Amino acid sequence: MHLVQWDFLPAEDRLAEFLAAYGSEGDWVRLFHQGEGYLGTELLRLPGLPGWYRCLDRWRREEDYAAFRRLHAAEYQAMDHACERLTHAEVPVYIG
């Protein structure tokens, strides 16, 4: 399994929008479902870090994730850009 993890600090006034975009049935999940080998997303609150969330995206294989990123690069970039306003911080934790 290939795992992609990001930590986010949502903007307080955009929390509902953040959850709608990054949650297990959110905008990102709908985009990822277009890729072969996508297994699901989990959004967790980080204990000990008030306001922070960890997003876990699971893919069958690294090659599936890489193919998705190539085939859907424009959509990915557009969604990433649109979601920038929803967070104060975005930190890649693990991609591998």
Side-chain angles (χ1 to χ4, degrees):
M1 181 178 66
H2 181 71
L3 184 63
V4 178
Q5 296 180 49
W6 290 85
D7 285 353
F8 296 97
L9 179 60
E12 292 175 13
D13 60 334
R14 302 272 187 184
L15 182 58
E17 293 171 85
F18 170 82
L19 295 173
Y22 289 91
S24 62
E25 297 181 21
D27 300 334
W28 281 104
V29 169
R30 285 190 289 282
L31 177 61
F32 290 157
H33 270 296
Q34 297 177 39
E36 184 176 329
Y38 172 68
L39 300 174
T41 292
E42 192 173 2
L43 185 64
L44 308 168
R45 295 196 70 140
L46 287 176
L49 292 173
W52 282 85
Y53 288 80
R54 176 160 295 163
C55 189
L56 305 152
D57 301 318
R58 292 178 177 85
W59 294 81
R60 184 181 54 216
R61 301 173 306 141
E62 183 177 358
E63 294 82 6
D64 293 329
Y65 177 67
F68 166 80
R69 290 292 305 264
R70 277 192 313 277
L71 293 170
H72 300 279
E75 298 100 317
Y76 186 100
Q77 188 171 15
M79 176 124 22
D80 190 49
H81 179 70
C83 288
E84 285 178 359
R85 64 186 172 78
L86 304 179
T87 63
H88 289 302
E90 177 179 333
V91 181
V93 177
Y94 179 77
I95 301 174

